[in-house]
Amino acid sequence: MAVSQFSAATSTGRSEALLTRSGLLGGGLGSRGSKSKVLLMRTWISRPVTVRRCFSVNSVSSDSNQTLKDPITQEEASTAHSSFTLDAASIASSIKYHAEFTPLFSPERFELPKAFFATAQSVRDALIINWNATYDYYEKLNVKQAYYLSMEFLQGRALLNAIGNLELTGAYAEALRNLGHKLEHVAIQEPDAALGNGGLGRLASCFLDSLATLNYPAWGYGLRYKYGLFKQRITKDGQEEVAEDWLEMGNPWEIVRNDVSYPVKFYGKVASGSDGKRHWIGGEDIKAVACDVPIPGYKTKTTINLRLWSTKALSEDFDLYAFNAGEHTKAYEALANAEKICYILYPGDESMEGKVLRLKQQYTLCSASLQDIIARFERRSGANVRWEEFPEKVAVQMNDTHPTLCIPELMRILIDLKGLSWKEAWNITQRTVAYTNHTVLPEALEKWSLELMQKLLPRHVEIIEMIDEELIHTIVSEYGTEDYELLEKKLKEMRILENVDLPSAFADLFVKLKPKESPVVVPSEELENSEDAVDPVVVPSEELENSEDAVDPVVVPSEELEISEDAVEPIDEEDGSEKTVNQETKMELPEPVPEPPKRVHMANLCVVGGHAVNGVAEIHSEIVKDEVFNAFFKLWPEKFQNKTNGVTPRRWIHFCNPELSKIITDWIGSEDWVLNAEKLAELRKFTDNEDLQTQWRAAKRNNKLKVVSFLKERTGYSVSPDAMFDIQVKRIHEYKRQLLNILGIVYRYKKMKEMSVAERKSKFVPRVCIFGGKAFSTYVQAKRIVKFITDVGATVNHDPEIGDLLKVVFVPDYNVSAAELLIPASELSQHISTAGMEASGTSNMKFAMNGCILIGTLDGANVEIRQEVGVENFFLFGAKAHEIAGLRKQRAEGKFVPDPRFEEVKEFVRSGVFGSYNYDELIGSLEGNEGFGCADYFLVGKDFPSYMECQEKVDEAYGDQKRWTRMSILNTAGSYKFSSDRTIHEYAKDIWNIEPVKLL
């Protein structure tokens, strides 16, 4: 939200006018004449506009919990609070006002969609007042501010969250009831904002909630995707992708800032000016326009901002001449190229066009956001801009490698536009930027084609080359030049530019350092047509084409070297044959090895360019230090940190599970746990209390009943609320091992079919196995897994012999709103990734908070969750992270012996019991010892027997409901560590160096 440009008096009058107009102060449409105030918002006192209002400003350094006070007396404030109350009548007036005067619907009827938009706009009016006051205060204090850059923000629905944070849920419910609607019916009209995909985006949204709630000065920056990732449909063929329609009816929460836009350039060339500076000129120019979304804190006036960039071309880029000539596509080409940047989250990148679009997206986010941040810094600095103070006012957090271009872009702006030296700019950049690593998967550690980047961002490549050269200097200084092999190894691991020749400054050095080894003489009898002995001539390997990895010199016959151009006869034009003077001694040289691609290693650039690198769970951070970035960790150990992820207890217990929330509050004795999650641990005192256990089970069953209705509506399947609800909902990926889960279900089904009715009922606990998640549109194997799950469900769910003993349901288009229903109803949740491959996970935290028991491997945050909830309250199975490499090696050597049960279940799938679809490719990926797509890389077969034995323990525990309920309570009690409030406090203290700033 841009800071107010008016005087405080004008700001006061504007806010009063806004409230009066919208009905939040007396006099609105339908008002009963009641006076009102905005609860937990800035209290405005009516007074002549000639009286200037001002803010008292305290030094941030002297008070870590800053407060804003109006220069009005306590008596005035007390009078203000007693004179104004925000009640249902004034809220109803506000809603009616928006239904009539800011309509997106026809005026005839006040139906649910219209009621939602009018209600949301009413809430937004209330938020805007706090929003303006928050940033007016930040502007005046000139506090250090954190900026969180992420390609994803998976917000979910905003209405209930906003009114909950404002503590107005009851008032809005009554107002809507008086207008003929129920709040819950109105709320479900809101589509989920399609700005993210999975845990990365949901984490970013939890962080914004915590930042606002804890009063930290911060903004989020992202892109405004018109069509999101995709909307998932499930058909007989499996997953089908269609465009998201979340913006079709508009977005009542956002405010487009047409006056806040920045130029973004692509292509062009770099030239040296008469001033000696490098100038990026020509190319394709677009503009990024800001769209702001308010993010309110809980029980605080602080309302921060999520600024999303949309892209467009200038009007002058529309070719009117071409359009009038009938060349309509050509006329609109520049506009379409600009707008499509923000069409889709993660466009497919198998084509060159897709790669270009992804890189454009990443640069747009970085460039527009940094220009905005720098403009704010300059404005707050006034006439005397001191660039060395930039890191003392700005902290930029890169959420994964997508915003890596922040580093060369900040350098470019500081050097090319602000006139700083390289040394000054590099010092500022490194002190400003920090990087969160979210993955150890090679495909997610981005590497961009150097050629592509040179075309699209030529100036940035120059800067990256200079950063790479600076890094080489550092490596040579650190490791010296005595041990050539060590130095070569470090350069290969750590350089930003991959498969790129060393800069000229180092080329001579490495020629001198390269060890001289004895020539390897190839026996003459091994050379073709070499019956006559010839004297060998040694040729250094670096002179041979495509032999970067060669170390030993290669020997070829001297005659071959003596053949010059003049010694080769011209090609005979009739038969095209090429003849040489010395046909008898001609050696056929091997086919040239393709030159390895030159790439930019973005993760290495993040580590080099930032002052902090953090993993997102204890085990993940250790893997980051020991494996992923071990060479950097040895060089700069002080850079590396752990910040275990967290989720907001407001959305993920208090709002989405109100029954459980009330039980927790009643037994703890206060609602303090919502802001201080450590209070959840007090539940441990009551775990064996029968009254608590009875209430706990009743709340779980009521949540399950909601899911029964939801599943019937979304899938057509009827399930029993008396069965265990066993849920795995997350992005579909081989390493997350939905395949292990469904094969376990298939084995369970097979065993049931082999038993009598009485046997299966005594042996198995009834289960509803629920899946949800999206497979990336080009990830063929993941889409096969979705198809397999739905086929298994179609067979099992219609088997009269099995009935309610086993159901398998795939929830289409899983999103935040679906999670808010499924997670409170869950009893067992599966977090079963191959150990060492899941960075953290956040859904595991949400499930534990809601009293769900986890079955999982020692991976990601599972390790810490198990420690906190108690090892006896977590179902553990599978290989450990340190064993994985050895197990894969064992497989490659052909030493793996599969469990007979695993072979049995594969044959059962191949028998065709689940339909006519050919699953050879899917099952084949679990077989063999090597090869792409084979050899069971994710160790499904290895962990299968351990998994099935663990599932037997689950059945046994669930059969004792008193024991199960105790485990459930202890999961909620032990989840306090996984509040995003704790995580944000750690980021603020250890990485960003920012302090809370509270408005009173």
Side-chain angles (χ1 to χ4, degrees), residues 468 472 491 495 500-507 509-511:
D468 186 59
I472 295 169
L491 289 169
R495 283 192 64 190
V500 175
D501 291 339
L502 288 164
S504 57
F506 296 94
L509 171 66
F510 278 82
V511 168

Side-chain angles (χ1 to χ4, degrees), residues 522 527-528 544-547 554-556 586-594:
V522 181
L527 298 175
E528 185 180 358
L544 296 178
E545 185 180 5
N546 299 322
S547 56
V554 179
V555 177
V556 297
K586 180 182 177 182
M587 179 184 73
E588 290 187 10
L589 293 175
E591 289 290 324
V593 178

Side-chain angles (χ1 to χ4, degrees), residues 59 62 162-163 263 536 622 655 954:
S59 167
S62 64
I163 62 176
E622 290 306 306
F655 299 146
V954 171

Side-chain angles (χ1 to χ4, degrees), residues 787-831:
K787 167 67 174 163
F788 183 41
I789 294 168
T790 58
D791 282 354
V792 171
T795 300
V796 172
N797 299 346
H798 294 103
D799 190 330
E801 292 184 0
I802 302 302
D804 286 337
L805 201 56
L806 182 63
K807 298 289 185 185
V808 180
V809 183
F810 191 98
V811 177
D813 204 40
Y814 175 70
N815 56 17
V816 176
S817 296
E820 288 171 346
L821 277 173
L822 292 170
I823 290 173
S826 62
E827 293 172 287
L828 180 75
S829 182
Q830 308 225 11
H831 302 274

Side-chain angles (χ1 to χ4, degrees), residues 541-561:
S541 60
E542 48 270 58
E543 291 184 22
L544 296 178
E545 185 180 5
N546 299 322
S547 56
E548 288 184 17
D549 298 328
V551 177
D552 298 328
V554 179
V555 177
V556 297
S558 59
E559 283 90 342
E560 292 300 316
L561 299 175

